[in-house]
Amino acid sequence: MLSCSKCLLPETAEATSFDEAGSCSVCRQIEVRDTQINWDERYKQLQELVGQYRDKGLYDCILPYSGGKDSVFQLWYVVRKLGLKPLVVRFDHWFYRPLIEENNTSVFKQLGVDVLNFTPNWHVVRELMLESLKRRGDFCWHCHTGIYAHTMQVAIRYETPLLIWGESLAEYQSFYSYDEMEEVDEKRFNRAMNLGITADDMYEFLGGRVAKRDLYPFVYPPRKELMRIKCRSVCLGSYIKWDTKKHVDIIKSELGWKGQEVEGIPPEYDYEKIECFFQGVRDYLKYIKRGMGRTNHLANIDIRNKRMTREQGEALVREFDGKRPPSLDLFLDYLQLTEEQFLGIAIKHEVSPWQFSPNTVEPGRRMPDMDQWNNTQVPWPNHPGVEIGGKG
């Protein structure tokens, strides 16, 4: 399997191309970020943008928030640097780790913000997780679509037209590049977030297992409604140079934000994706499908920012990527699957030329807070099985 000549991104990575020298499109985007973007000018554009919305309604902007490193930095920047009054909107995907709640309480109190929290029906979420796992080898459809679609719905309900999201996708993927001003709109939602499955599609797939109105949190709002409030939905990372490690230093020193170890990645990356206790399963799935885990992703970021050599990154990837996460047991309980069924589904979504070898997988390290993760047992008498469209 080929990988980038500069970083370690493999040819199986989504939305990625390679040039004649073997350099990947993400590395080229970072070169644009570092050499061709006038970040002082971009900052002036940001000031002009927020100036149009300041003190015009109940809130100056909507700020989507999970409690992970990026959304905490976003909130700190919007309140402390831009002086805005945001409405913080949380979409609870059901898998927050205990430390997240502790961090959030501290952050919200210190910054003084209003917070909306929405948690979708667990029975619906479980159906959506299994269906998207079977169809796309990705169980996070409800999370990704809910975070984006429901937050846009909240903007309409609160008549608050400005939404400020985090980093540009150009930082990690090639759906966009830094030389274009990315908007978090329906085009982006369909291109990068919903796995090519709309809420209407999902309703049909589930064959009446959930009501159509149960899926409203996952429906991107009508264009005419967004146009009515003159909605702007932008990435903070289009206007300020994104550097995750520097941002983590800021939120730790300014807000006392605490990191935590995550399955499948080196302990020194204690800031990465700490907000979901199924992150290890998600990364394991990605490894089964594409031959790359989160350590590959993190090493690439440090290589591109000249904080790590390619050889050092390769050593970390060998040590941490592709381990079986202990959280897989809880995940299988939630979806009432056997591990054989899980692997059978995942391997169907392998991206050539990668080939996953289940017999070579080693166990990963157990996280110290696992005993606190919710394991409520909920009956599922009409379980649909593992085959698309029926039992299996």
Side-chain angles (χ1 to χ4, degrees):
M1 188 164 66
L2 298 175
S3 59
C4 175
S5 57
K6 293 182 178 177
C7 71
L8 302 168
L9 197 69
E11 60 182 313
T12 53
E14 189 176 20
T16 304
S17 60
F18 292 80
D19 63 18
E20 293 178 352
S23 177
C24 74
S25 46
V26 181
C27 281
R28 294 199 300 272
Q29 289 156 201
I30 298 303
E31 289 174 6
V32 171
R33 181 196 71 181
D34 293 343
T35 62
Q36 298 181 32
I37 304 299
N38 183 334
W39 290 104
D40 291 336
E41 180 58 33
R42 289 282 182 97
Y43 180 72
K44 290 179 183 176
Q45 292 176 23
L46 176 62
Q47 293 284 8
E48 292 170 3
L49 175 69
V50 300
Q52 298 171 32
Y53 297 94
R54 196 189 307 274
D55 296 327
K56 297 294 195 300
L58 289 176
Y59 300 98
D60 298 328
C61 65
I62 299 283
L63 195 132
Y65 183 95
S66 68
K69 64 187 186 310
D70 294 318
S71 61
V72 175
F73 174 76
Q74 281 165 246
L75 183 56
W76 174 83
Y77 194 92
V78 161
V79 173
R80 292 277 174 85
K81 289 291 186 179
L82 297 179
L84 298 176
K85 179 183 179 181
L87 173 61
V88 176
V89 179
R90 300 182 70 205
F91 187 89
D92 186 344
H93 47 54
W94 283 94
F95 311 129
Y96 285 128
R97 296 172 74 178
L99 179 64
I100 281 293
E101 301 305 329
E102 179 185 329
N103 275 339
N104 287 346
T105 299
S106 174
V107 168
F108 295 154
K109 280 187 172 180
Q110 290 182 72
L111 293 180
V113 291
D114 291 354
V115 182
L116 275 183
N117 188 74
F118 179 82
T119 308
N121 181 328
W122 169 245
H123 292 221
V124 175
V125 165
R126 192 169 52 172
E127 292 277 0
L128 298 175
M129 287 173 66
L130 180 56
E131 193 67 23
S132 63
L133 175 66
K134 291 191 291 187
R135 291 184 179 271
R136 293 290 185 268
D138 185 336
F139 60 90
C140 298
W141 185 89
H142 80 282
C143 179
H144 292 156
T145 57
I147 287 172
Y148 286 88
H150 186 261
T151 304
M152 300 300 286
Q153 294 178 18
V154 171
I156 294 170
R157 292 184 185 193
Y158 279 81
E159 301 276 337
T160 302
L162 179 63
L163 295 97
I164 299 179
W165 304 78
E167 75 276 17
S168 164
L169 287 181
E171 187 71 12
Y172 307 130
Q173 295 176 310
S174 295
F175 290 108
Y176 294 88
S177 61
Y178 267 111
D179 53 3
E180 56 186 319
M181 295 301 284
E182 179 181 342
E183 294 266 341
V184 187
D185 54 15
E186 189 170 12
K187 177 181 176 182
R188 183 184 187 271
F189 177 75
N190 291 327
R191 176 185 286 181
M193 298 303 161
N194 73 358
L195 307 176
I197 301 174
T198 66
D200 284 343
D201 293 334
M202 194 60 89
Y203 176 72
E204 295 296 328
F205 294 158
L206 293 176
R209 299 177 66 80
V210 303
K212 202 157 192 174
R213 65 179 181 176
D214 291 334
L215 294 175
Y216 94 84
F218 313 100
V219 177
Y220 200 87
R223 178 179 170 80
K224 66 179 181 181
E225 287 295 305
L226 295 170
M227 290 180 67
R228 181 181 62 78
I229 65 169
K230 299 180 181 178
C231 181
R232 288 294 308 276
S233 183
V234 302
C235 297
L236 185 59
S238 295
Y239 297 94
I240 65 171
K241 189 174 179 179
W242 208 256
D243 188 329
T244 293
K245 282 200 169 177
K246 290 181 180 177
H247 297 171
V248 169
D249 289 342
I250 289 171
I251 61 176
K252 283 185 174 178
S253 64
E254 294 284 327
L255 298 171
W257 186 81
K258 298 174 184 175
Q260 191 165 44
E261 188 177 354
V262 173
E263 289 177 312
I265 63 176
E268 57 265 34
Y269 293 99
D270 70 345
Y271 51 81
E272 178 71 10
K273 292 293 182 184
I274 69 167
E275 63 268 37
C276 178
F277 59 64
F278 281 146
Q279 189 59 46
V281 178
R282 178 171 171 77
D283 293 334
Y284 184 51
L285 259 173
K286 187 174 182 178
Y287 182 83
I288 294 171
K289 291 160 53 182
R290 301 180 185 277
M292 64 175 294
R294 186 152 296 272
T295 300
N296 181 299
H297 168 77
L298 292 168
N300 291 338
I301 294 170
D302 278 344
I303 293 169
R304 292 173 194 137
N305 286 291
K306 300 179 175 52
R307 293 192 280 249
M308 180 182 290
T309 66
R310 195 173 187 281
E311 291 70 27
Q312 290 171 324
E314 285 179 315
L316 282 180
V317 168
R318 281 195 298 272
E319 182 177 355
F320 288 94
D321 267 358
K323 299 286 195 301
R324 182 196 184 280
S327 62
L328 183 60
D329 294 327
L330 181 59
F331 179 84
L332 296 175
D333 283 345
Y334 273 4
L335 294 192
Q336 297 183 11
L337 298 174
T338 66
E339 187 158 355
E340 182 181 21
Q341 289 172 325
F342 171 81
L343 289 173
I345 294 169
I347 290 172
K348 285 180 183 175
H349 295 278
E350 271 184 352
V351 178
S352 178
W354 167 249
Q355 288 188 309
F356 176 67
S357 301
N359 296 331
T360 64
V361 173
E362 300 174 354
R365 191 162 59 241
R366 181 181 173 85
M367 296 296 101
D369 65 333
M370 281 188 73
D371 291 339
Q372 302 172 55
W373 300 358
N374 181 270
N375 63 356
T376 303
Q377 300 292 312
V378 179
W380 197 347
N382 192 25
H383 191 283
V386 298
E387 297 299 326
I388 290 174
K391 297 283 184 180

